């Protein structure tokens, strides 16, 4: 008979992709998840006979070999298990044959090239590259996630929000992950190739997520994003101006050069996109009062001058917030019990085995103090568990003298936040990272962790040993004689251009006459805790009897801070510090409050539903309710599956004026879609809004 030849292959995308949850990817090729069957329809030059030789070959990598498991030659006639891959004939009629192929649930993830061998003929189809991803729907896959609602959120949701601000005023910044957009999957495959991971390590989400935490920053390997905290963003995009990962990853893939610039939430947003795109469940995690560069001694020293102003320290810092990621997987490389969420971090801070990367580190290891486990568990533990030691720097005979005021053990690593599953709400996941303060488990965990970390000693770290130190730390914790407490509040909304109406309330709760020396200060700081301006301070001696309180106002005029707001490119926070000392006692206390400014809203006007491929209009309206002009206003808007990222230059907006921008939208995808808007100006960096619309047939 004549030779059997293949005349065509149909990848049956409309059948396979919905079953594999890959129908949203904007790509010509077939995208499937490992461990789940997919169908291929082969057309032949004649009918397929029992005597015909037929094999499907899937190869991955430069030099595919059967022994390495990088070349699978699947023969439907011989039901054999090839490295966990299976093939069978579903239907054979006339010149057409439908085959079912199931990859191994532990196959290397990446691009496989398909060819078909019949006798001596080899057929190579066009678009013959099949993309194989991790599969959280498959019980045999180490990234298996049992809950459908969680898979929808952590793998399939292409928009979300990242929590920022400060522990005293948390707000959400919308972010478009866009893992299904054009070129994003190819960008992720390019990163996998660039990671130089051995193909056998591409099976394992531990290696893949660690490699991606290194590649999303540009520090060692020409990765995706260059970090910049200098305040100078010339030649690039200010980290404040991104509203999603799509333009970043598309630009990177097209130019193969690092994109300028990122800060922690941008690194985290892009890393979530890459993980979800590859099929590893992922979420953005915001840690408030995040300790940095603690030298693994679990201690951050904070220095205050005699006006109660925080001083910039070069060594330690407490960031108002820091954003990293959790990824979901089994840890087959560890003793039992460390499966589940793992922390990874793409913000370049510390070298890990010589490269800027961090994780994956099991949340359970952080919670239970098992900080000897890989990877980078000591670093993550310190970020959420360090103590803060407050030092007062006094001038005595022209020399600095350091007096320890207080040790704050509960202020670091609070309100750890992520977007809730299936709704636009904040979920507090602090309990997944640490036991409740003061519980027996928390103390045991702390003792275990401390045994692996360096003891900190009592000297302030920024000074040499020759300095005189008044150290309270060697004494046991003194019970307060007066029952002193300090509260810091704002009495009016904190609108830029208005005076800042702040107040410090001093309370005593024990019988007696108390004389209290209070100093308080107000400063502007960036989210990394760097002081950008001192705005004013208050000094007062207060007399209180027994159980009583007094409120001391601290009012800052708009002129004191508006110049700084306009000259600094980052979003600034209001930081208030107070120190109170009770005369004739050892009662010393410090407290702090950090708040974001309040802003007028952006209103998004559009229908609640729209039809696929039918135009509708979406309007963005902003009224400047502030009593200062907003200069160089720019409105950035994006709606995944609806319209591409658009920028409107609006010039200057005077107080009381309204601006309105309109986009004509044509939705190309069904389901609930989000429209995100962000307004930036010289004075105000981050007003954002989002609105959902349901697209129907």
């Amino acid at each position: 008979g004549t030779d059997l030849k293949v005349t065509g292959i149909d990848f049956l995308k409309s059948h396979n992709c919905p079953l594999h949850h890959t129908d949203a990817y904007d790509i010509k090729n077939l995208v499937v998840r490992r461990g789940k069957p997919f169908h291929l329809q082969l057309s032949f030059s004649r009918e397929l006979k029992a005597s015909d030789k037929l094999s499907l070959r899937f190869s991955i990598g430069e030099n595919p070999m059967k022994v390495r498991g990088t070349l699978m030659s699947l023969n439907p006639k011989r039901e054999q298990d090839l490295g966990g891959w299976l093939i069978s004939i579903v239907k054979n009629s006339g010149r057409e044959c439908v085959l079912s192929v199931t990859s191994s649930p532990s196959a290397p993830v990446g691009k496989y090239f398909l060819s078909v061998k019949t006798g001596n003929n080899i057929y190579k189809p066009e678009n013959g590259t099949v993309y194989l991803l991790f599969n959280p729907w498959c019980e045999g896959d180490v990234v298996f996630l049992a809950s459908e609602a969680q898979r929808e959120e952590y793998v399939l949701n292409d928009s979300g929000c990242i929590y920022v601000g400060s522990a005293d005023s948390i707000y959400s910044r919308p972010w478009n992950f866009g893992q299904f957009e054009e070129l994003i999957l190819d960008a992720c495959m390019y990163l996998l190739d660039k990671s130089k991971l051995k193909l056998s390590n591409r099976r394992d989400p531990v290696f893949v997520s660690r490699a991606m935490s290194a590649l999303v920053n540009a520090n060692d390997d020409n990765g995706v994003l260059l970090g910049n905290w200098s305040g100078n963003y010339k030649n690039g995009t200010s980290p404040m101006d991104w509203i999603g990962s799509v333009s970043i990853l598309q630009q990177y893939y097209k130019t193969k050069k690092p994109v300028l610039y990122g800060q922690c939430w941008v690194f985290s947003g892009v890393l979530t996109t890459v993980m979800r795109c590859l099929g590893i469940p992922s979420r953005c995690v915001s840690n408030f009062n995040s300790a940095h560069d603690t030298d693994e001694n679990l201690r951050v020293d904070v220095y205050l001058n005699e006006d109660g102003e925080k001083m910039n320290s070069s060594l330690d810092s407490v960031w108002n917030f820091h954003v990293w990621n959790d990824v979901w997987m089994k840890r087959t490389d560890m003793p039992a019990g460390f499966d589940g969420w793992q922390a990874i971090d793409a913000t370049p801070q510390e070298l890990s085995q010589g490269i800027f990367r961090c994780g994956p580190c099991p949340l359970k290891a952080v919670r239970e103090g098992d900080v000897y486990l890989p990877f980078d568990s000591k670093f993550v533990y310190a970020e959420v568990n360090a103590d803060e030691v407050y030092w007062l720097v006094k001038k005595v005979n022209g020399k600095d003298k350091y007096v320890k005021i207080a040790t704050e053990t509960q202020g670091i690593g609070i309100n750890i936040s992520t977007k809730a599953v299936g709704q636009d709400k904040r979920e507090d996941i602090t309990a997944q990272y640490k036991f409740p303060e003061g519980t027996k488990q928390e103390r045991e965990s702390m003792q275990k962790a401390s045994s692996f970390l360096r003891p900190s000693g009592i000297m302030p770290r920024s000074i040499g040993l020759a300095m005189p130190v008044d150290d309270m730390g060697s004494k046991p914790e003194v019970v307060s004689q007066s029952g002193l407490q300090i509260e810091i509040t704002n009495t009016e909304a904190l609108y830029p251009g208005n005076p800042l109406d702040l107040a410090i309330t001093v309370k005593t709760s024990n019988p007696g006459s108390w004389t209290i020396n209070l100093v308080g200060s107000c400063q502007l700081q960036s989210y990394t805790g760097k002081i950008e301006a001192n705005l004013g301070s208050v000094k007062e001696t207060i007399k209180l009897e027994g159980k009583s309180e007094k409120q001391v106002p601290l009012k800052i005029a708009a002129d004191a801070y508006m110049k700084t707001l306009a000259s600094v490119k980052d979003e600034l926070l209001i930081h208030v510090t107070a120190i109170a000392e009770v005369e004739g006692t050892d009662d010393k206390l410090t407290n702090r409050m950090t708040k974001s400014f309040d802003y007028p809203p952006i209103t998004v006007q559009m229908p609640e539903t729209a039809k696929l491929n039918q135009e509708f209009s979406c309007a963005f309206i902003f009224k400047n309710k502030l009593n200062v002009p907003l200069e160089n206003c720019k409105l950035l808007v994006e709606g995944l599956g609806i319209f591409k990222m658009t920028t409107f230059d609006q010039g200057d907006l005077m107080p009381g004026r309204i601006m309105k921008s309109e986009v004509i939208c044509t939705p190309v995808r069904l389901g609930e879609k989000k429209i995100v808007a962000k307004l930036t100006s010289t004075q105000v960096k981050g007003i954002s809004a989002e609105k959902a619309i349901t697209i129907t047939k």
Side-chain angles (χ1 to χ4, degrees), residues 7 40 221 262 294 340 436 498 627 665:
T7 57
L40 298 171
D221 35 37
T294 57
N498 285 11
N627 58 32
C665 313

Side-chain angles (χ1 to χ4, degrees), residues 366-417:
V366 176
R367 198 169 98 178
E368 304 198 344
D370 293 309
V371 295
Y372 55 90
L373 287 166
F375 291 93
D376 310 301
S377 53
K378 291 188 172 95
F379 180 72
V380 179
Y381 187 88
E383 287 183 302
V384 298
N385 281 305
D387 291 346
E388 286 173 291
V389 183
Y390 283 90
W391 300 88
L392 183 59
V393 185
K394 288 186 165 177
K395 280 265 188 272
V396 179
N397 306 327
K399 283 211 180 90
D400 283 348
K401 185 179 176 195
Y402 291 74
V403 183
K404 187 163 162 186
I405 317 169
T407 300
E408 167 67 81
T409 60
Q410 297 186 8
I412 298 281
I414 59 175
N415 306 343
I416 304 175
S417 303

Side-chain angles (χ1 to χ4, degrees), residues 294-301 303 316 387-391 404 407 450 453-463 465 469 471-474:
T294 57
D295 221 13
E296 287 177 10
N297 67 357
L298 284 191
R299 203 185 85 183
V300 177
D301 292 305
Y303 303 100
D316 288 335
D387 291 346
E388 286 173 291
V389 183
Y390 283 90
W391 300 88
K404 187 163 162 186
T407 300
S450 300
L453 293 156
R454 283 173 236 154
S456 64
I458 54 175
M459 296 300 292
R461 279 180 55 211
S462 74
I463 55 173
L465 290 173
V469 172
D471 186 60
M472 307 280 297
S474 45

Side-chain angles (χ1 to χ4, degrees), residues 75-259:
N75 182 336
K77 302 295 173 62
R78 292 198 304 272
E79 245 318 330
Q80 75 202 58
D81 177 358
L82 241 156
W85 290 60
L86 302 167
I87 187 168
S88 61
I89 294 181
V90 179
K91 195 168 97 200
N92 185 17
S93 62
R95 294 182 175 185
E96 278 172 357
C97 166
V98 177
L99 296 172
S100 171
V101 178
T102 309
S103 63
S104 157
S106 58
V109 163
K111 296 199 292 197
Y112 284 78
F113 187 73
L114 169 67
S115 60
V116 186
K117 192 167 189 229
T118 52
N120 295 322
N121 300 306
I122 291 181
Y123 176 81
K124 297 181 174 180
E126 64 171 325
N127 294 331
T129 305
V130 176
Y131 290 67
L132 187 66
L133 308 180
F134 289 99
N135 191 355
W137 284 262
C138 168
E139 287 190 39
D141 195 316
V142 286
V143 300
F144 173 67
L145 186 54
S147 145
E148 176 58 29
Q150 289 188 346
R151 295 189 294 245
E152 287 280 329
E153 182 66 57
Y154 298 136
V155 186
L156 298 181
N157 197 349
D158 60 358
S159 69
C161 59
I162 299 175
Y163 289 94
V164 296
S166 69
D168 304 300
S169 51
I170 298 175
Y171 67 97
S172 74
R173 208 171 260 169
W175 193 266
N176 279 334
F177 299 114
Q179 64 269 34
F180 303 117
E181 300 303 302
E182 193 184 7
L183 298 181
I184 303 301
L185 181 56
D186 280 317
C188 294
M189 292 297 161
Y190 171 72
L191 287 172
L192 268 181
D193 287 342
K194 204 167 160 47
S195 74
K196 301 275 197 288
L197 278 178
K198 292 209 295 268
L199 281 165
S200 57
N201 287 345
R202 283 204 198 182
R203 306 167 187 276
D204 188 344
V206 173
F207 287 105
V208 171
S209 60
R210 185 160 175 76
M212 294 301 142
S213 90
L215 275 164
V216 165
N217 66 66
N219 286 49
D220 313 283
D221 35 37
N222 239 6
V224 178
L225 263 171
L226 189 63
N228 183 343
W229 285 264
S230 71
N232 176 3
Y233 307 119
K234 282 198 174 56
N235 319 328
T237 300
S238 155
M240 293 299 310
D241 287 1
W242 303 111
I243 51 178
S245 313
V246 179
S247 47
I248 296 171
L249 283 163
Q250 286 175 341
Q251 182 186 328
Y252 178 70
Y253 184 59
K254 285 171 184 163
T255 64
K256 309 289 193 281
K257 288 193 178 71
V259 176

Side-chain angles (χ1 to χ4, degrees), residues 475-507:
K475 300 182 192 137
E477 284 299 315
V478 195
V479 178
S480 166
Q481 287 173 259
S482 60
L484 180 66
Q485 280 178 292
I486 313 175
E487 272 176 20
I488 303 168
T489 48
N490 52 305
T491 47
E492 295 285 330
L494 302 168
Y495 286 117
N498 285 11
L500 307 179
D501 279 313
L502 305 159
I504 301 166
T505 306
V506 179
K507 300 180 180 182

Side-chain angles (χ1 to χ4, degrees), residues 222-398:
N222 239 6
V224 178
L225 263 171
L226 189 63
N228 183 343
W229 285 264
S230 71
N232 176 3
Y233 307 119
K234 282 198 174 56
N235 319 328
T237 300
S238 155
M240 293 299 310
D241 287 1
W242 303 111
I243 51 178
S245 313
V246 179
S247 47
I248 296 171
L249 283 163
Q250 286 175 341
Q251 182 186 328
Y252 178 70
Y253 184 59
K254 285 171 184 163
T255 64
K256 309 289 193 281
K257 288 193 178 71
V259 176
L260 318 179
Y261 293 102
Q263 288 178 7
C264 70
W265 68 93
V266 191
F267 288 109
S268 173
V270 172
L271 189 53
T272 294
T273 302
V274 171
M275 291 291 110
R276 288 184 185 178
C277 187
L278 293 173
I280 300 174
S282 176
R283 62 188 184 187
C284 293
V285 173
S286 303
N287 177 39
F288 289 90
N289 295 346
S290 192
H292 287 243
D293 307 328
T294 57
D295 221 13
E296 287 177 10
N297 67 357
L298 284 191
R299 203 185 85 183
V300 177
D301 292 305
V302 182
Y303 303 100
L304 306 174
N305 66 19
E306 295 189 65
D307 288 331
E309 290 168 343
K310 191 177 96 170
M311 297 153 73
N312 282 328
S313 153
S314 56
L315 287 163
D316 288 335
S317 55
V318 176
W319 291 21
N320 287 297
F321 66 88
H322 177 45
V323 193
W324 61 75
N325 297 69
D326 287 341
V327 280
W328 179 270
M329 63 189 67
K330 287 193 179 71
R331 288 302 291 266
T332 52
D333 56 331
M334 278 191 189
F338 293 99
D339 297 343
W341 289 115
Q342 319 283 323
I344 59 174
D345 191 346
T347 299
Q349 303 173 82
E350 298 279 316
L351 290 168
S352 173
Q353 297 172 316
I355 290 175
F356 280 102
R357 57 185 167 187
C358 178
C361 158
L363 267 54
K364 192 160 179 275
V366 176
R367 198 169 98 178
E368 304 198 344
D370 293 309
V371 295
Y372 55 90
L373 287 166
F375 291 93
D376 310 301
S377 53
K378 291 188 172 95
F379 180 72
V380 179
Y381 187 88
E383 287 183 302
V384 298
N385 281 305
D387 291 346
E388 286 173 291
V389 183
Y390 283 90
W391 300 88
L392 183 59
V393 185
K394 288 186 165 177
K395 280 265 188 272
V396 179
N397 306 327

